[in-house]
Amino acid sequence: MKTDIEIAQEATLQPIADIAAKLDISEDVLEPYGKTKAKIDFTKLDMDDKNLGKLILVTAITPTPAGEGKTTTSIGLADGLSKIGKKVAVALREPSLGPVFGVKGGAAGGGYAQVVPMEDINLHFTGDFHAIGAANNLIAALLDNHIHQGNALDIDTNRIVWRRVVDMNDRNLRNIVNGLGRRADGVTREDGFDITVASEVMAAFCLSNSLSELKEKLGNMIVAYTRKDNQPVRVKDINGAGAATALLKDAIKPNIVQTLEGTPAFIHGGPFANIAHGCNSIIATKLAMNHAEYTITEGGFGADLGAEKFLDIKCRQAGIAPSAVVIVATIRALKMHGGVAKKDLGEENVDALRNGMPNLLRHIDNVQNVFGLNAVVAINKFPTDTEAEVKALEEECEKVGVKVVLADHFAKGGEGAVELAEAVVEAADKESNFKFAYDVEASIEEKIETLVTKIYRGKGVEYTPAAKKKIKQFEEQGQGNLPICMAKTQYSFSDDKNLLGAPEDFKITIRDLTVSAGAGFIVALTGDIMKMPGLPKEPASNRIDVDEKGNISGLF
């Protein structure tokens, strides 16, 4: 089979104005970036939150090295819905350059279920991430300049919590010392870089309903604490909100592109699913819902992280709720959860599949019984799947009343997802009783313990002294009513990445907490979650090249 980039480069793309017209979006609100991508000036559109189309959330089982294909399934489902005559759009995150050049590679789908132009989307696209990085680093520069110019706010240089960012995996920047040299070169202090997608600017960008709301969120972000009374210093205190917002005035406009089959696709924003909420922008999602019967979107990583944060953080702030949830799994991944090594996944093993099923069943149970939503299981088809394995999986899901659909969108595009589309329409037409996992007014500890016991099925939570101190501080400063953003490994329900399947009787240790006061949530840090990844021994960038005509190869 051809590579993803070969398939994408052979596609004949439609003019972007024709794609927008499928959603009744007129050309006069488009700001073209070439012929096949554009930004949309949403301020010129009549956005009505009362007459929104149906929202379909695509999530997945706990991810494994075997791969699940959540984004590919989201795109295939959108094309499948289009095949059966539905007016549909897909709303996804923008890829980060870190994973593109690191381990994961691109994030524009795969096979015949891709968004295009694939190279542009995976690389600089329309410059949104660069603008977000610039806004973040402007705040850092203003903070250091305030200290250099006399420190009128009495900022404790040992309690600065704002870090610089770059959209690249660069472990050497995790911890640095800046301000070295002459007195005129600034105040010497320890500092560090995060990857751009871990910036609070990115999180707030995606949780804002308007430019004015983004400006307010930026102003409320905490950058440091004072020496004398340990009070938070915010971006508005160093007069940075206006200038940072100015850098984002164009980035906040959603991007529109297309799938290989010409389905409209909004690709906008992309916060980490560990450190942040892992969802595309509210503005892009609502724009799609205003103009389509069905909007397909996704949350990062497995349902315990991506779907939970989508529902408890994004839906809470946006005032929206899905009509149905698609849980993506592969037979290969379920066998890995059942104890099979990656090299042996191509061999039929029904027993291992059944042993791995509790992972999928727990995610189903969370979607149906914790959040009260209708679920469909999409099995992303692989050539090695056997009839016996598929039958065993269907039997297990039938026991809990969930429909399983074998989808072949990777090889067949929308045609391979028609059955999945029909199942999703059926699920979305049923009544649901959406509810959040916790009451946001509960204490910080109560919310964390609810997530650990109700979503992850652990038996409790342990807090380090530092974490206990932060909880007390945040509640005293009036931040106790913020939702919780759990930062834990994506590879397990627990905080131990080696505990596959559906572990029980574990405790999760909260080692520290940070507050994203602008974005509007508290991050609870577990394990060794890092905000600046490193490159592997053989990074994905090793296979990427470009010829003299500018044609890119090796991008996946």
Side-chain angles (χ1 to χ4, degrees):
M1 186 174 175
K2 296 173 182 176
T3 65
D4 292 348
I5 195 167
E6 288 172 341
I7 293 170
Q9 289 174 339
E10 290 177 3
T12 301
L13 275 62
Q14 301 174 37
I16 198 60
D18 293 349
I19 298 298
K22 295 180 181 183
L23 297 176
D24 302 316
I25 296 175
S26 61
E27 191 171 356
D28 62 349
V29 302
L30 298 182
E31 298 176 359
Y33 281 64
K35 297 178 181 178
T36 57
K37 57 186 186 291
K39 280 192 167 292
I40 297 176
D41 188 349
F42 65 98
T43 63
K44 296 179 180 178
L45 295 171
D46 185 17
M47 302 273 277
D48 182 4
D49 285 359
K50 296 180 180 179
N51 294 298
L52 299 175
K54 293 182 176 180
L55 179 64
I56 311 299
L57 172 63
V58 178
T59 185
I61 62 171
T62 304
T64 69
E68 289 69 44
K70 188 166 66 266
T71 301
T72 302
T73 301
S74 298
I75 296 164
L77 172 58
D79 285 337
L81 285 163
S82 182
K83 284 279 186 186
I84 63 174
K86 303 300 182 183
K87 187 177 180 182
V88 60
V90 60
L92 304 171
R93 294 176 294 168
E94 299 179 49
S96 165
L97 291 178
V100 168
F101 293 128
V103 177
K104 184 178 178 181
Y112 288 90
Q114 295 188 57
V115 283
V116 284
M118 180 260 228
E119 308 100 300
D120 293 4
I121 294 167
N122 277 316
L123 298 177
H124 300 288
F125 201 21
T126 57
D128 293 344
F129 281 22
H130 299 304
I132 289 165
N136 183 103
N137 294 341
L138 169 64
I139 292 168
L142 291 172
L143 174 62
D144 280 326
N145 184 62
H146 176 89
I147 296 168
H148 175 72
Q149 299 293 351
N151 197 6
L153 294 172
D154 193 34
I155 291 169
D156 185 347
T157 56
N158 293 315
R159 300 212 62 215
I160 291 173
V161 295
W162 194 261
R163 289 160 61 92
R164 289 165 166 82
V165 299
V166 62
D167 193 35
M168 199 64 60
N169 290 1
D170 192 344
R171 64 170 55 84
N172 276 39
L173 292 178
R174 287 175 187 160
N175 299 288
I176 65 170
V177 176
N178 63 20
L180 294 173
R182 301 168 301 163
R183 183 180 180 127
D185 296 327
V187 176
T188 303
R189 68 177 182 87
E190 292 185 11
D191 196 4
F193 278 75
D194 296 332
I195 193 167
T196 300
V197 290
S199 168
E200 189 183 350
V201 175
M202 175 70 82
F205 178 90
C206 289
L207 290 175
S208 297
N209 288 277
S210 65
L211 190 63
S212 59
E213 184 179 347
L214 175 58
K215 181 179 177 180
E216 181 181 1
K217 287 181 180 294
L218 292 174
N220 286 329
M221 291 178 183
I222 296 172
V223 294
Y225 291 86
T226 60
R227 281 186 292 209
K228 186 176 180 180
D229 50 8
N230 196 31
Q231 290 301 301
V233 177
R234 302 174 187 269
V235 171
K236 60 188 176 185
D237 297 325
I238 56 172
N239 299 315
T245 308
L247 287 170
L248 300 171
K249 71 177 185 65
D250 293 318
I252 199 171
K253 299 172 184 175
N255 309 297
I256 183 169
V257 288
Q258 61 193 283
T259 71
L260 288 171
E261 298 183 9
T263 301
F266 297 95
I267 315 290
H268 195 222
F272 251 15
N274 299 79
I275 297 300
H277 53 86
C279 311
N280 73 308
S281 75
I282 286 175
I283 292 174
T285 302
K286 283 189 172 180
L287 180 60
M289 293 175 71
N290 265 272
H291 290 84
E293 291 179 89
Y294 294 87
T295 293
I296 313 302
T297 192
E298 67 176 27
F301 297 135
D304 58 317
L305 284 175
E308 185 275 316
K309 292 175 183 179
F310 180 93
L311 298 167
D312 279 322
I313 297 177
K314 180 174 178 176
C315 287
R316 205 186 294 262
Q317 289 206 23
I320 56 177
S323 297
V325 177
V326 176
I327 304 173
V328 180
T330 63
I331 287 174
R332 287 166 50 85
L334 288 171
K335 288 192 291 188
M336 181 168 273
H337 278 295
V340 176
K342 186 177 180 181
K343 63 182 178 62
D344 299 324
L345 292 175
E347 301 174 12
E348 182 178 276
N349 193 330
V350 174
D351 288 340
L353 173 67
R354 291 189 186 277
N355 290 337
M357 277 298 298
N359 184 274
L360 172 59
L361 295 174
R362 184 174 293 178
H363 288 299
I364 292 172
D365 186 54
N366 284 339
V367 169
Q368 291 184 318
N369 297 319
V370 176
F371 293 108
L373 295 167
N374 303 316
V376 175
V377 172
I379 301 302
N380 191 7
K381 185 178 179 181
F382 274 74
T384 55
D385 298 345
T386 70
E387 186 176 336
E389 290 172 333
V390 174
K391 183 179 179 181
L393 193 154
E394 290 174 340
E395 289 173 353
E396 293 298 322
C397 288
E398 283 175 5
K399 294 176 183 177
V400 293
V402 174
K403 185 163 186 178
V404 179
V405 180
L406 192 64
D408 200 13
H409 44 277
F410 184 90
K412 298 180 180 178
E415 190 62 41
V418 166
E419 186 182 351
L420 175 60
E422 291 170 342
V424 166
V425 169
E426 182 182 351
D429 284 341
K430 295 178 181 177
E431 286 189 21
S432 60
N433 182 31
F434 172 60
K435 50 188 178 292
F436 300 119
Y438 53 79
D439 179 357
V440 76
E441 295 298 331
S443 70
I444 294 174
E445 288 191 31
E446 287 173 335
K447 286 179 284 197
I448 292 172
E449 287 168 13
T450 296
L451 291 175
V452 171
T453 58
K454 189 189 278 190
I455 301 294
Y456 311 151
R457 312 301 168 87
K459 66 178 181 180
V461 186
E462 294 179 344
Y463 300 89
T464 65
K468 283 278 193 181
K469 185 177 180 181
K470 289 286 187 67
I471 289 172
K472 184 174 184 291
Q473 174 190 335
F474 294 158
E475 290 185 336
E476 286 177 349
Q477 292 175 347
Q479 296 154 342
N481 63 347
L482 295 176
I484 300 298
C485 180
M486 290 289 285
K488 74 170 185 69
T489 178
Q490 65 269 33
Y491 297 116
S492 175
F493 278 105
S494 73
D495 55 2
D496 179 353
K497 66 180 180 181
N498 297 311
L499 292 181
L500 303 184
E504 296 177 340
D505 294 328
F506 59 86
K507 284 191 174 183
I508 281 185
T509 298
I510 306 298
R511 62 176 173 83
D512 199 4
L513 295 98
T514 62
V515 60
S516 295
F521 53 78
I522 288 171
V523 180
L525 294 154
T526 73
D528 58 356
I529 294 297
M530 292 181 297
K531 296 195 283 185
M532 171 55 82
L535 291 171
K537 187 173 182 179
E538 291 291 332
S541 58
N542 287 5
R543 64 174 181 255
I544 299 173
D545 202 357
V546 60
D547 65 21
E548 61 183 11
K549 295 182 179 179
N551 298 311
I552 294 173
S553 60
L555 187 60
F556 292 91

